[in-house]
Amino acid sequence: METNQPKIKAAILGATGMVGQRFVQLLSNHPWFEISALTGSDRSAGRKYSDACYWRQEGDMPAAVRDMQVLPAVPPVNAGVVFSALPADIARDVEPEFARAGYIVCSNSSAYRYEDDMPVMIPEINAEHLALLDSQKKKRGWDGLIVTSPNCTTSGAVFPLKVLNEIFGLEKVFLVSMQAVSGAGYPGMPYLAIADNVVPLIEGEEKKLELEPRLLLGKMNGRERISAPMSISAQANRVAISDGHTICLSVKLSKSASLEEVKAALLSYAWPEEIKQLPSAPLQPMIYREEADRPQPRLDRNAGGGMAVSIGRLRPCPILDFRLVAVVHNTLRGAASGSVLNAELLKARGFLG
Ligand code: NAP
């Protein structure tokens, strides 16, 4: 995009929440987008953003949004792109209203993720799934569109899985997640439930983790997405970490491979050049840590500005073939930054502005 082109106006739905505040941070100084509207629930609508929103990010609330009036989450808004950080049950009604009214909606919610005509996008993984937008337009008759981001844990797991699936084929994946408290939004779990504890239940999460990587790694057949055929077994846990999800993966490959071959594939994978040019893309979307005890959420969640997934501890698995560990920043790559990257891809491909 030319630097002298005007920025595209961006609305944030759910701007007062955990992910919404991340959007405010990221879009306050974005080269292509500028914040033009913020929405909240009845609790916040009509109030000044600085009154309605208890700022829970590092650093101050950006000065440019402090006096903006929080709007109800209904069209019209003054925007060319709409970022949605709404709870899924609210998004189910609100996001289509915006798409119907002609807006390009980049959603973080799971409301529409599992529908055949919805791209569940990570630009480095499956940019070709934008072809689904033709089917979406035909099926829904909207002037706008919805592109969704995957669940935060999927956003980390899918990077090594993409490489392994493409180079060796994946038959089985066993996945155990240790998910940060911020993944549940604010206020999240009560301190007395999570302090000094691991809670082995995140409602609905395991189903998402068993489905979403298969969607992301699916192949396009014309305008149809065929899910990747691997089977996935997931166990999701909430742990006493503020930000950053850790994922332990064991995999069974379709082709036999040595540890050295698997490591070489993970280290040398050529991520798409087109995506590296986008403003929010990290130089390296996946970083291989050689240290015996990495990755760790506190040390690795902010790699690549929170956009790089860190992996390590690759070793043989006595039950399947290999095992490894991944760490992803759940509210950046796994939520707001991931959606902003999707919007950048939409802009670069001519869907926006
Ligand atoms: P959150 O902190 O609870 O924020 C929810 C936001 O939605 C708030 O701005 C809230 O506004 C607004 N809202 C609630 N009810 C509404 C209504 N009836 N009408 C209009 N706005 C309403 O949640 P979050 O963690 O940011 O998550 C937002 C979405 O992102 C969810 O779908 C979640 O699953 C997804 N997600 C979260 C993460 C993560 O790591 N947290 C990662 C990936 C995806 P008020 O403050 O005015 O009530």
Side-chain angles (χ1 to χ4, degrees):
M1 183 168 163
E2 302 286 329
T3 45
N4 57 2
Q5 272 188 280
K7 290 188 182 182
I8 296 167
K9 291 189 177 354
I12 303 168
L13 311 182
T16 49
M18 208 76 194
V19 175
Q21 292 184 26
R22 284 290 190 190
F23 276 123
V24 168
Q25 258 186 338
L26 294 164
L27 297 174
S28 286
N29 202 12
H30 192 281
W32 295 0
F33 306 124
E34 66 184 353
I35 299 172
S36 55
L38 303 171
T39 83
S41 69
D42 291 348
R43 183 191 73 77
S44 311
R47 301 168 73 190
K48 261 185 7 181
Y49 185 68
S50 56
D51 292 338
C53 172
Y54 189 102
W55 189 249
R56 298 184 191 281
Q57 309 301 323
E58 282 170 23
D60 290 334
M61 178 185 282
V65 296
R66 292 188 65 81
D67 290 336
M68 284 177 75
Q69 193 187 48
V70 179
L71 305 171
V74 287
V77 291
N78 174 23
V81 61
V82 172
F83 293 97
S84 168
L86 292 171
D89 55 333
I90 309 299
R92 186 89 208 156
D93 294 330
V94 172
E95 291 177 359
E97 274 184 52
F98 278 90
R100 211 171 290 121
Y103 295 93
I104 310 294
V105 180
C106 293
S107 169
N108 268 276
S109 88
S110 59
Y112 286 91
R113 264 184 217 149
Y114 310 115
E115 309 225 354
D116 290 347
D117 57 334
M118 287 291 162
V120 188
M121 290 283 307
I122 295 183
E124 292 94 336
I125 304 285
N126 63 339
E128 70 278 12
H129 288 192
L130 284 180
L132 287 173
L133 292 174
D134 283 350
S135 323
Q136 189 184 103
K137 206 164 190 66
K138 271 197 201 111
K139 178 172 162 184
R140 315 260 175 185
W142 295 335
D143 288 333
L145 54 87
I146 299 179
V147 168
T148 68
S149 300
N151 154 284
C152 37
T153 307
T154 301
S155 302
V158 79
F159 276 85
L161 295 182
K162 162 84 176 173
V163 177
L164 298 176
N165 193 47
E166 210 160 291
I167 311 291
F168 308 105
L170 275 174
E171 280 184 14
K172 293 182 181 172
V173 177
F174 176 57
L175 179 167
V176 177
S177 70
M178 286 157 279
Q179 302 187 203
V181 183
S182 62
Y186 195 86
M189 296 188 84
Y191 177 79
L192 286 178
I194 194 64
D196 189 26
N197 209 5
V198 171
V199 178
L201 174 70
I202 303 176
E203 287 288 352
E205 191 78 355
E206 290 170 357
K207 242 180 147 171
K208 293 178 184 175
L209 299 178
E210 291 174 356
L211 184 58
E212 292 182 21
R214 299 185 51 224
L215 293 178
L216 278 140
L217 300 179
K219 294 269 170 263
M220 290 303 293
N221 177 15
R223 297 276 173 261
E224 197 190 351
R225 175 184 53 206
I226 312 291
S227 290
M230 78 219 27
S231 50
I232 304 180
S233 167
Q235 298 197 40
N237 303 284
R238 186 73 72 198
V239 297
I241 295 286
S242 57
D243 286 316
H245 292 352
T246 303
I247 310 136
C248 295
L249 295 156
S250 289
V251 297
K252 172 140 193 63
L253 305 178
S254 313
K255 280 189 215 157
S256 73
S258 67
L259 186 74
E260 292 67 34
E261 287 169 328
V262 171
K263 182 174 174 183
L266 291 167
L267 277 168
S268 64
Y269 188 75
W271 299 100
E273 283 304 320
E274 176 199 8
I275 310 304
K276 289 183 190 163
Q277 310 308 318
L278 300 175
S280 300
L283 283 176
Q284 268 183 282
M286 188 171 80
I287 295 172
Y288 189 103
R289 303 293 324 187
E290 298 280 358
E291 300 90 330
D293 60 354
R294 297 277 284 274
Q296 299 178 17
R298 217 172 58 205
L299 301 180
D300 296 308
R301 61 191 168 207
N302 289 321
M307 283 297 273
V309 173
S310 297
I311 61 167
R313 297 217 67 219
L314 176 68
R315 59 220 192 275
C317 169
I319 297 177
L320 300 179
D321 290 330
F322 296 98
R323 49 195 161 156
L324 72 158
V325 180
V327 164
V328 64
H329 198 304
N330 54 296
T331 60
L332 292 174
R333 170 62 87 169
S337 308
S339 269
V340 172
L341 191 63
N342 282 347
E344 291 169 1
L345 178 65
L346 288 170
K347 166 68 194 153
R349 294 276 181 102
F351 288 91
L352 268 182

